[in-house]
Amino acid sequence: MVSRVIPVEPFDLVIIGGTGDLARRKILPALFRRYLAGQMGKGSQVIGAARTEMDTEAYRQMVSEAIAEFGGAEAKNKTGLKKFLALISYITLDAKGDTGWEALHDAVQTDHVRAFYFSVGPSLFGDLAKRLQKHGMADDQCRIVVEKPFGRDLASARELNKVLARYFDESQIYRIDHYLGKETVQNLMAVRFGNMLFEPLWNSQYVDHIQITVAESVGVGGRGEYYDRSGAMRDMMQNHLMQLFCLIAMEPPAKFDPDSVRDEKLKVIRALDPLRPENIVRGQYEATETRPSYRKQVENRDSTTESFVALKANISNWRWAGTPFYLRTGKRLRERASEIAVVFKDAPHSIFGEDAGRHRNILTIKLQPNEGIELGVTIKEPGPGGMRLIDVPLDMTFAEALGPDQADFPDAYERLIMDVIRGNQTLFMRGDEVEAAWAWTDPIIAEFKEGEPPLPYATGSSGPDEALALIHRDGRAWREIKA
Ligand code: NAD
């Protein structure tokens, strides 16, 4: 079996915002796991940088605690952790002032790939880019990684792109959407473009409709203030769901390289019909006996921000005209479960008669909580009872097929950070893609202000009843939200 660890050259990774929540929960544990996998070559280093005053020893202690909390089973590897911590240092740095920049310049190694992970709010992106250049760090070997939200509308995303373009070439900018780093999302491309079986059927002649669900069971938690300014449309739909949507709907790219893939994704967004108000449903979760309502949690009793959104989208091109895409995402739903379901049309004629019932092939790409791909096929129910048909899943879950070692794949952040070091932008969003996604969602969000407030829905439900009606009126049904 070929080793899955592709070596990378030694690198410097600077986490700006290195004391923040994202750094502690995701970035540092991901780096630790890549270190254990042998992917941080000799001479690599990680520099945490943030406004907080602390020294390297205190930072290493913080990293060690973060890994104990969020590092999973590998966190028990004390020897590995000790060696990993030796690669880490800390610099107090102010994005808006001069503190720390000379020290950072002296600490990074000029003969290494240097990645600067902007793990701070987008209002600081411009300041950081400017100072990296001013202090001589924005050369060809430098890459920057920026987190969502990339703007809150088209105008602000354009502005951000413009500011970053002043200091960096597009090939140096890595806009993260961690959904694209999921193993299954890449496998979706392998299944589509690596097999003869699916691609000929991947169009409106054979596909009845496609559903994308990203359901969370938790509420807004401690992010209330941020979330209430954003809502499900901005926080999830405009980025994560749209990205999944593009990958499932795009034409086969000529090559699996960054620009070929991103060109095709962009074409999907540009071919989307404008969304009509009757094709969108917004919701807001209500209180239970033990859990507060959305409005209570965000401390805004008049909030009209949605914690749930469902919509029906149509793509006007040869492949998809006539096949609707139903997308929904929300908080406090029945379960934490995310999937894409490609629902194929009925066989044109049933030779088995009415009693055999209606059977459809459904290809399900599961993203959360477990990743895997499943194909529902119709077979004869075993036994002597005549020709009765049942649907059974052909389970392509990787653990089964590949064995436990091969299925122990890196999480999205591990893969994406390593792609930054390798200089592979395929799984990152290009500036024009992000702008096109905002251009489609902006008018929808503008409607929200004018239109009705979000509809209430019960915690633990599948969203407001109107979201069920959105698909029922087309003679279809949402799939059950289940893990
Ligand atoms: P956070 O508030 O926990 O951390 C922010 C970090 O930025 C801290 O280290 C802080 O010291 C640093 N910082 C703030 N002002 C600074 C300045 N002037 N100079 C230098 N450093 C400064 O935020 P977070 O949750 O870690 O999120 C960081 C970014 O990532 C945000 O844009 C957020 O939207 C995005 N994001 C976060 C998550 C998550 O799970 N936390 C998920 C997706 C995207």
Side-chain angles (χ1 to χ4, degrees):
M1 195 69 78
V2 183
S3 163
R4 286 171 300 126
V5 176
I6 305 166
V8 291
E9 295 293 317
F11 61 89
D12 288 1
L13 181 84
V14 181
I15 312 170
I16 305 179
T19 58
D21 179 66
L22 182 69
R24 283 183 292 114
R25 271 190 323 115
K26 294 288 181 187
I27 306 172
L28 289 158
L31 284 166
F32 176 53
R33 284 194 293 271
R34 285 298 91 201
Y35 171 78
L36 293 180
Q39 243 179 350
M40 281 181 64
K42 207 166 183 288
S44 295
Q45 62 167 339
V46 176
I47 302 174
R51 220 170 19 176
T52 321
E53 295 221 9
M54 65 165 84
D55 60 15
T56 289
E57 265 327 296
Y59 188 63
R60 286 180 179 162
Q61 181 58 33
M62 198 208 81
V63 175
S64 160
E65 284 163 18
I67 286 170
E69 192 172 353
F70 304 111
E74 284 91 343
K76 295 201 180 78
N77 184 339
K78 296 292 171 215
T79 321
L81 181 60
K82 205 168 156 203
K83 288 186 186 159
F84 175 68
L85 291 176
L87 308 180
I88 293 186
S89 58
Y90 182 80
I91 291 173
T92 304
L93 181 100
D94 185 4
K96 288 182 166 296
D98 287 327
T99 309
W101 288 95
E102 277 310 312
L104 184 60
H105 173 267
D106 295 344
V108 291
Q109 301 165 79
T110 43
D111 55 341
H112 279 185
V113 162
R114 272 161 280 128
F116 295 88
Y117 199 126
F118 291 6
S119 185
V120 295
S123 61
L124 295 179
F125 291 176
D127 290 300
L128 292 175
K130 189 168 89 184
R131 288 195 161 76
L132 281 175
Q133 197 212 35
K134 181 176 159 196
H135 294 276
M137 287 176 272
D139 60 12
D140 291 352
Q141 287 286 78
C142 164
R143 286 153 205 178
I144 60 167
V145 185
V146 296
E147 267 291 344
K148 79 165 196 184
F150 198 83
R152 56 177 284 108
D153 53 20
L154 177 58
S156 54
R158 269 199 186 133
E159 191 50 39
L160 271 181
N161 276 334
K162 217 161 81 189
V163 170
L164 295 181
R166 253 181 240 147
Y167 307 102
F168 297 99
D169 186 70
E170 179 64 31
S171 63
Q172 297 175 284
I173 305 170
Y174 291 73
R175 295 175 194 78
I176 279 220
D177 185 320
H178 71 272
Y179 272 61
L180 294 183
K182 287 182 179 289
E183 183 71 23
T184 321
V185 170
Q186 290 162 76
N187 232 313
L188 160 67
M189 287 189 273
V191 166
R192 267 194 75 183
F193 304 128
N195 295 289
M196 193 55 206
L197 205 58
F198 296 105
E199 199 48 28
L201 307 180
W202 213 261
N203 56 54
S204 59
Q205 198 183 340
Y206 295 102
V207 176
D208 179 73
H209 73 280
I210 292 177
Q211 300 187 12
I212 304 179
T213 298
V214 177
E216 295 174 83
S217 53
V218 294
V220 294
R223 292 171 71 222
E225 200 193 323
Y226 158 78
Y227 194 91
D228 202 41
R229 279 183 277 117
S230 170
M233 194 71 198
R234 285 194 173 97
D235 191 49
M236 297 296 292
M237 188 64 82
Q238 184 275 343
N239 38 60
H240 304 316
L241 277 87
M242 288 279 284
Q243 286 295 319
L244 299 176
F245 182 22
C246 287
L247 290 179
I248 204 112
M250 71 182 182
E251 295 300 313
K255 283 194 229 142
F256 190 62
D257 70 22
D259 278 331
S260 305
V261 171
R262 297 185 300 176
D263 285 347
E264 296 306 335
K265 282 161 60 196
L266 180 61
K267 284 186 212 161
V268 173
I269 308 177
R270 291 198 172 144
L272 278 169
D273 289 351
L275 202 66
R276 295 210 301 270
E278 65 269 25
N279 285 342
I280 180 154
V281 175
R282 296 197 305 144
Q284 212 178 54
Y285 58 80
E286 293 183 300
T288 66
E289 270 178 24
T290 51
R291 298 167 82 186
S293 69
Y294 174 83
R295 288 181 177 189
K296 181 111 187 162
Q297 259 188 320
V298 301
E299 295 175 17
N300 176 3
R301 30 186 254 221
D302 302 317
S303 172
T304 56
T305 303
E306 74 287 350
S307 59
F308 172 95
V309 66
L311 57 85
K312 173 183 168 185
N314 293 300
I315 303 176
S316 279
N317 65 16
W318 273 53
R319 184 184 287 268
W320 293 119
T323 296
F325 287 72
Y326 300 93
L327 280 64
R328 64 180 166 167
T329 180
K331 294 192 174 288
R332 284 268 193 96
L333 296 174
R334 302 176 56 134
E335 286 196 55
R336 174 173 176 260
S338 304
E339 64 166 40
I340 305 170
V342 181
V343 182
F344 290 91
K345 288 189 172 169
D346 293 350
H349 163 70
S350 170
I351 63 168
F352 305 110
E354 296 273 296
D355 292 349
R358 180 166 141 170
H359 296 270
R360 285 185 152 180
N361 298 120
I362 301 179
L363 180 72
T364 315
I365 297 115
K366 295 180 178 175
L367 303 170
Q368 254 165 207
N370 300 313
E371 297 193 48
I373 300 184
E374 199 177 275
L375 178 66
V377 290
T378 303
I379 61 162
K380 177 190 169 296
E381 189 177 37
M387 187 56 90
R388 285 176 201 274
L389 302 185
I390 51 165
D391 292 331
V392 291
L394 267 184
D395 191 348
M396 297 185 243
T397 302
F398 315 116
E400 297 274 321
L402 305 177
D405 289 350
Q406 291 294 306
D408 179 22
F409 37 74
D411 93 345
Y413 276 91
E414 292 176 57
R415 171 173 300 108
L416 293 173
I417 292 170
M418 287 301 131
D419 277 359
V420 174
I421 304 302
R422 285 191 203 100
N424 184 347
Q425 288 185 307
T426 311
L427 300 174
F428 296 82
M429 295 178 292
R430 207 169 53 192
D432 53 0
E433 249 188 280
V434 179
E435 288 185 18
W438 280 121
W440 189 69
T441 44
D442 264 9
I444 310 171
I445 294 169
E447 289 271 343
F448 294 168
K449 286 202 199 105
E450 321 271 298
E452 297 290 312
L455 300 155
Y457 64 92
T459 290
S461 71
S462 304
D465 289 346
E466 286 74 359
L468 305 181
L470 173 79
I471 188 165
H472 277 166
R473 69 174 188 227
D474 296 339
R476 302 180 173 109
W478 289 110
R479 285 164 56 77
E480 195 183 336
I481 297 177
K482 65 168 196 260

